Amino acid sequence: MKATAAVALPVALLAMAGAAPTEEVPPVAAPPRAEVGWVPVVRARSAPVIDGAAGESWSPAVTRRLERSKGPMPSSADIQAEFRGMWDEDALYVLVQVLDDETTTREGPVPWEHDSVEVYVDGDGSRNDAVDGYDGNDRQFVFRWDDPVAHATKGASVESLRFAQSEWEHGYRMEIAIPWSTLGVAPGAGSTIGLDVHVNDDDGVGREDKIMWSDGSDAASSEPRRFGKAVLLDALEATEEQRATLTVAAPDLGRELAGEPPLRLQYHDIRADAGGMILPWSHDEPAVAYDQVIRLVWGFWRQMEDCPNGVKYYLQHQVWKPEHDPRGLGGDQINMALSSWNLLHQYLGDPGVVADMRLQADYWIENGLTGPDGPWPNLPFPYNTDIHSGRYDGDMVAGKGFLQPDKAGSFGTELVTLHKITAEPRYLEVAVGIADTLARNAKPGDQDHSPWPYRVHFETGEVFEKEGVRFTYTTNWTGALRLFDDLIAMEKGSVDDYEKARTLVSDWLKTYPLKTMRWGPFFEDINTYSDTQINAGTLARYILEHPGWMPDGEEAVRRILDDCDRKFSNPFWAKYGVRATNEQTAYEVPGNSHTSRQNALELMWAEATGDWSRKDRSVRNLNWATYMVAEDGRNRYYRDDIWLTDGYGDYIRHYLRAMAAAPDLAPPDQNHLLRTTSVVRSVEYGDDAVTYEKWDAGSRERLKLGEWEPGEVEGGTFTWDPETRVLEVESGSRRVVVRRAES
C-alpha cells in the first residue's frame, strides 16, 4: 500500500495558503489506485420474503455502507445508505436501506435522475476492463422510489425480477430478488460475482447527489470493472483454509472476516509503512504532511464564499455545503478560529490571518452581544436563530435569548489576545465587560452545578430546562480562567473581583471534575448531558501551561488523558496502529478535531515529563486525522459533514501545538516560529532573517529553522541545536531579529 510516486497538491490552494512557489512545493506521495469494494454474501437460511419489511431472514447478511461519491460526499443528514446481500440457488437478494431527509415521487423516462436505487451485477465476475465493456451477464437495474416498475438499461429484461419498497422513519427500503436465470449463470459457494449499489437523491429538482459503494467515478453504467466483488459463501464462519484462500484472492474480504477495517478512509486510500502502520495520505513524512494539510485547510477557509446577504458563510453556518446548510453558527466556532488563527499567524507570517481574526471578532461584537442591562449583560449569543438575519440572538437548542457563559469566557480571552496583536482598545473593552459579568455571577457550585450554568436566559436569568434536565453544569471553564489570568496580569478591569472568581472556579474544577471525571457538556446541538473530550482536553492543556496552578499537575494531566482514552478511544483502526478519539458519549464517532487534540496533548505531556513512550502512537493518530482533509481543503468529520468547527478552528491549532512540543513534526526545510510565551504581533520570514514583534518584552520563543542556520539574535540570547534545527530564544525586547549565519 505504500506509494513511491509523487504528485502535486492543488497549487492554487497551496499558494493561497502561503506555500512556497510551485517548484518548491514539497512532493506529495501519490496514493495507490482505489481498490474496488469487497463483500461476503452469505447463503440465505431461507429465502427472504420480498415485501419491503426487511425481516429477520436478513440477519446473517453483512452490511456495507455507501461511502463514495464522484464529487464531495453529501451531508449525512441529507442522504445515507447501506445494503446487504444474500444468495441461494435461485437468486441474488439485495436489501437497501436509505436515509433520505426528503423523498419525492416522480415520473419520467430517466429513473436514476430521481430518488432511486441502482443495482449492478456481473454474473460471472469477469468485470470487463474496458469502456462499454458490458457482456451477456452484466446488468444495471434501477428501482425508483414509489414506482412499481423495475427498470433496466441496454435492453435487459426485468420480467422475473421481484422487488418491494417501504417507508421507514427516516427514508425508505428496497428488497430485491434477481434470479440467476436473468443473468444466465448458476454460481455456487466460493464463486465471485461483480456487484455494486448506488443511491440517487432528488429533493424536488432532479438528482442532486449520488452515493456509491464501490464505483467512485459514476462510470459503472458502462464499465463493469468499476463494480465491486462479492464472494458467495455458505456462512461467515469460514474455515482457516477458506480464510487463507480468501485473503489471497480478496484481501479486503480476509480483513472483513477477521473483523478488521477496510483500505479506504474518508477521502483517501490508507497508506502504510513496511510494518503496516498508518502514514499520512499526502506524504510519508508527517512533518511534510502536517504542513500540507494546515495550508490546504486554511486555503479552503480563505476562499469560502459569502452568503446571499453578503456575510461570510463561516459567520453564519456551522457546516459547509455547496448548496448551503440550513443550520446556523457553531457555538464555539468563532472562538476556535481565533485560537487557531493566532497560532497560524505566527507560523505563516500571513497578515491575512489577522485580518480574518478581526473580521470575525468585529462581526460578533457588532451583531451578537446582549447589551448593557439585565443579569447577564455584555455577553455574546452563540447562535443565529434566524440564520441570515445578520444577528446572533440565542442558543441552537434553547432558542432566542439564551446564551452559554462558557463560550463567553472563551471569547473574552481570545479578544485579549487579539488586542495584544492589534492594539485595538475595543477588544480589551469588550473582554473586560465579559469578565465583569462572569465575576459578578460566579457561585461556588457543587457536583451538579458549575460556577456558572451551561445555558441561561440573558434577561430573566432562567436556566434552560428540557425534559426534566436543567442545564446547570459544564466543565468548559478554562477560557474564563485564562480571561481572568490575562486581565489580572495586565491590571485591567476589576482585578479584585477577577481574583476572587478565578479562585472560586479553580477550586471548583479541582474539587469536582478533576475527581469525578465528569467532562460535559459542550456542544450546541446536544440537548442532554454528555461527557466530552474537548472539555477534558482544554483543562489538561491549561494545567500543562500553568504548572503552578495545582500540585502534581503532570500526574493530574495523565489521569485526564487516560480517562479520555477509556471513554473516547476508538479501536476500529488498531490494525494500522491507530486509536482515534470519539467526540463525546452522546455521539461515539471519532473526529478529526478530537483525535488531533488528544494526541497533541499527549505530545505536550511528553515534553513536560520527558516520557516519550507514547509518541509513536500519537503520531499515527495524527496521521489518521489527515485523511479527513481532501485535496481541495475540505475537512470532513468522519462519516458526517464538513463542520467549520471540527475541520478548521478546532483542527489547525492541534497540529501547530504538536509541532511546538515535538519540532521534528514541523517541516524540515522551512522556517517557522512554533511557540511563544507572549503573543506575536507580526512576523516576517525573509531570505536572511526572521523578524518578529510581540506583546511582551521578556518572553521565550521556539523556532525551527529548516532553511538556514542562525548567526545572531538581536533582542535576545539563544541556543541552537544543529541536529534538530531548533532555536530557543530568551528575548528581552519586543522586537527580535534572527539573522542568518554567514556562509
Side-chain angles (χ1 to χ4, degrees):
M1 293 187 293
K2 185 175 179 181
T4 55
V7 298
L9 285 172
V11 172
L13 269 180
L14 282 169
M16 181 175 291
T22 304
E23 64 272 16
E24 296 180 21
V25 173
V28 182
R33 179 179 179 271
E35 297 288 338
V36 299
W38 286 90
V39 61
V41 175
V42 298
R43 184 189 293 272
R45 295 169 184 165
S46 59
V49 177
I50 305 300
D51 59 2
E56 282 299 313
S57 57
W58 288 99
S59 59
V62 171
T63 300
R64 283 287 189 265
R65 286 176 57 88
L66 278 60
E67 295 184 325
R68 291 186 174 184
S69 175
K70 186 175 181 179
M73 278 293 290
S75 162
S76 59
D78 188 23
I79 187 75
Q80 297 182 50
E82 62 185 27
F83 77 92
R84 302 183 188 185
M86 296 194 298
W87 72 284
D88 60 20
E89 282 74 11
D90 298 322
L92 171 68
Y93 305 101
V94 180
L95 166 65
V96 185
Q97 181 156 293
V98 180
L99 184 153
D100 190 345
D101 66 337
E102 185 175 351
T103 54
T104 58
T105 300
R106 310 262 281 174
E107 297 179 352
V110 188
W112 53 83
E113 287 295 326
H114 309 137
D115 285 337
S116 57
V117 169
E118 300 176 50
V119 178
Y120 297 83
V121 187
D122 177 2
D124 65 4
S126 59
R127 300 169 54 256
N128 294 332
D129 195 10
V131 177
D132 295 326
Y134 272 50
D135 61 25
N137 51 57
D138 297 333
R139 298 287 188 276
Q140 176 190 6
F141 300 113
V142 186
F143 306 90
R144 178 163 48 191
W145 167 245
D146 207 17
D147 181 350
V149 178
H151 305 266
T153 63
K154 300 177 172 57
S157 171
V158 295
E159 276 188 32
S160 344
L161 263 67
R162 292 180 291 127
F163 81 101
Q165 52 187 255
S166 65
E167 285 189 281
W168 66 292
E169 182 182 1
H170 300 293
Y172 62 91
R173 298 187 186 94
M174 296 273 186
E175 280 185 301
I176 304 160
I178 304 171
W180 297 121
S181 58
T182 299
L183 305 173
V185 296
S191 299
T192 298
I193 64 170
L195 179 66
D196 206 356
V197 176
H198 299 185
V199 170
N200 302 297
D201 185 30
D202 173 7
D203 287 341
V205 294
R207 184 172 71 184
E208 297 172 337
D209 289 305
K210 181 173 190 174
I211 55 177
M212 298 163 273
W213 170 54
S214 177
D215 172 25
S217 61
D218 196 17
S221 59
S222 60
E223 301 179 33
R225 63 179 177 162
R226 307 285 185 176
F227 298 2
K229 298 180 182 181
V231 179
L232 309 186
L233 298 177
D234 282 325
L236 274 183
E237 291 77 18
T239 66
E240 287 301 318
E241 182 179 356
Q242 288 174 316
R243 193 184 294 266
T245 301
L246 290 169
T247 301
V248 172
D252 259 6
L253 181 55
R255 273 189 285 275
E256 180 70 24
L257 291 171
E260 297 171 356
L263 286 170
R264 189 168 179 82
L265 175 58
Q266 200 79 316
Y267 293 110
H268 312 283
D269 295 311
I270 294 176
R271 303 174 64 250
D273 62 21
M277 300 294 99
I278 195 168
L279 294 168
W281 67 266
S282 66
H283 198 279
D284 289 358
E285 293 298 327
V288 176
Y290 298 169
D291 176 72
Q292 290 172 338
V293 297
I294 286 168
R295 293 177 187 275
L296 288 174
V297 165
W298 167 239
F300 185 86
W301 181 278
R302 281 189 74 170
Q303 68 171 7
M304 207 178 303
E305 70 274 22
D306 292 346
C307 288
N309 62 354
V311 178
K312 273 291 183 184
Y313 185 93
Y314 52 72
L315 288 171
Q316 299 187 122
H317 295 277
Q318 60 191 227
V319 166
W320 183 85
K321 294 180 184 177
E323 72 277 16
H324 290 201
D325 188 82
R327 288 163 288 187
L329 193 75
D332 208 42
Q333 186 168 312
I334 291 175
N335 294 333
M336 290 172 170
L338 294 175
S339 170
S340 266
W341 291 183
N342 172 46
L343 302 178
L344 184 66
H345 170 234
Q346 70 186 31
Y347 180 81
L348 294 178
D350 180 357
V353 180
V354 174
D356 192 71
M357 294 174 73
R358 297 188 70 144
L359 172 69
Q360 294 185 68
D362 289 346
Y363 194 83
W364 205 0
I365 290 169
E366 291 162 9
N367 298 282
L369 298 185
T370 59
D373 301 320
W376 295 89
N378 305 316
L379 299 192
F381 288 112
Y383 191 72
N384 42 331
T385 63
D386 182 357
I387 306 304
H388 291 125
S389 65
R391 293 286 303 170
Y392 308 111
D393 59 356
D395 176 273
M396 185 177 186
V397 169
K400 289 183 185 294
F402 283 89
L403 54 81
Q404 299 172 26
D406 63 314
K407 309 308 188 296
S410 298
F411 188 40
T413 192
E414 298 304 335
L415 287 177
V416 173
T417 298
L418 190 53
H419 166 73
K420 291 179 178 180
I421 295 172
T422 64
E424 173 63 53
R426 180 168 69 153
Y427 300 139
L428 183 60
E429 292 166 4
V430 175
V432 166
I434 292 171
D436 287 346
T437 297
L438 292 178
R440 185 167 59 250
N441 283 281
K443 294 180 172 59
D446 56 35
Q447 64 181 2
D448 297 315
H449 300 78
S450 50
W452 303 278
Y454 178 48
R455 286 183 164 113
V456 65
H457 197 280
F458 85 102
E459 203 167 34
T460 67
E462 171 197 358
V463 175
F464 179 62
E465 181 174 351
K466 182 167 184 172
E467 298 176 357
V469 177
R470 294 188 77 234
F471 289 78
T472 59
Y473 179 97
T474 181
T475 52
N476 181 41
W477 299 120
T478 55
L481 276 180
R482 291 178 184 276
L483 173 59
F484 294 141
D485 289 343
D486 289 339
L487 295 178
I488 291 167
M490 296 170 70
E491 299 182 345
K492 299 293 184 180
S494 304
V495 171
D496 289 344
D497 292 339
Y498 303 160
E499 288 178 337
K500 292 174 186 176
R502 179 176 65 175
T503 298
L504 186 150
V505 71
S506 295
D507 290 346
W508 182 83
L509 288 167
K510 295 169 188 175
T511 302
Y512 295 105
L514 277 168
K515 292 181 179 177
T516 64
M517 297 289 166
R518 292 182 64 221
W519 298 118
F522 178 87
F523 295 98
E524 70 279 354
D525 54 350
I526 300 297
N527 60 7
T528 188
Y529 180 84
S530 177
D531 277 325
T532 67
Q533 189 269 345
I534 187 171
N535 286 358
T538 51
L539 182 56
R541 183 169 68 87
Y542 182 86
I543 296 170
L544 287 170
E545 293 177 344
H546 297 78
W549 186 70
M550 66 178 298
D552 303 321
E554 292 169 1
E555 289 82 354
V557 171
R558 186 69 262 156
R559 290 194 299 273
I560 293 172
L561 295 177
D562 290 345
D563 183 65
C564 287
D565 261 346
R566 284 189 295 271
K567 286 178 180 170
F568 308 116
S569 180
N570 191 311
F572 185 67
W573 292 271
K575 165 80 175 181
Y576 300 107
V578 171
R579 295 186 74 87
T581 303
N582 294 340
E583 178 179 81
Q584 56 181 317
T585 52
Y587 183 63
E588 294 183 331
V589 177
N592 38 10
S593 57
H594 313 297
T595 301
S596 54
R597 178 188 300 103
Q598 178 76 5
N599 292 282
L601 286 167
E602 287 283 6
L603 295 173
M604 292 174 67
W605 182 85
E607 182 190 15
T609 63
D611 180 356
W612 292 94
S613 61
R614 297 170 178 83
K615 181 183 178 184
D616 288 347
R617 190 184 84 163
S618 295
V619 171
R620 290 193 297 269
N621 294 337
L622 289 165
N623 293 347
W624 177 92
T626 69
Y627 283 78
M628 307 303 116
V629 180
E631 291 185 356
D632 63 358
R634 286 170 294 132
N635 194 354
R636 184 181 294 275
Y637 198 100
Y638 182 68
R639 291 185 174 177
D640 205 298
D641 291 318
I642 298 170
W643 287 84
L644 300 179
T645 47
D646 299 274
Y648 296 86
D650 198 24
Y651 182 84
I652 284 178
R653 56 186 176 178
H654 306 311
Y655 282 93
L656 293 174
R657 288 176 182 141
M659 290 180 183
D664 58 310
L665 299 179
D669 57 353
Q670 301 174 24
N671 291 344
H672 292 288
L673 200 167
L674 300 179
R675 183 167 69 199
T676 178
T677 58
S678 182
V679 173
V680 171
R681 304 187 67 184
S682 67
V683 58
E684 181 180 349
Y685 295 102
D687 292 339
D688 298 308
V690 176
T691 303
Y692 58 93
E693 295 187 8
K694 50 198 173 59
W695 173 259
D696 301 284
S699 63
R700 297 184 304 278
E701 283 74 54
R702 170 174 286 180
L703 298 88
K704 184 168 183 180
L705 301 180
E707 296 182 22
W708 38 258
E709 295 198 0
E712 63 175 357
V713 172
E714 178 186 315
T717 60
F718 71 96
T719 59
W720 166 248
D721 186 333
E723 184 175 346
T724 63
R725 307 198 69 79
V726 172
L727 179 74
E728 305 282 3
V729 176
E730 189 83 25
S731 58
S733 169
R734 287 187 170 87
R735 183 176 184 271
V736 177
V737 182
V738 180
R739 301 190 189 282
R740 182 175 187 168
E742 295 182 5
S743 54

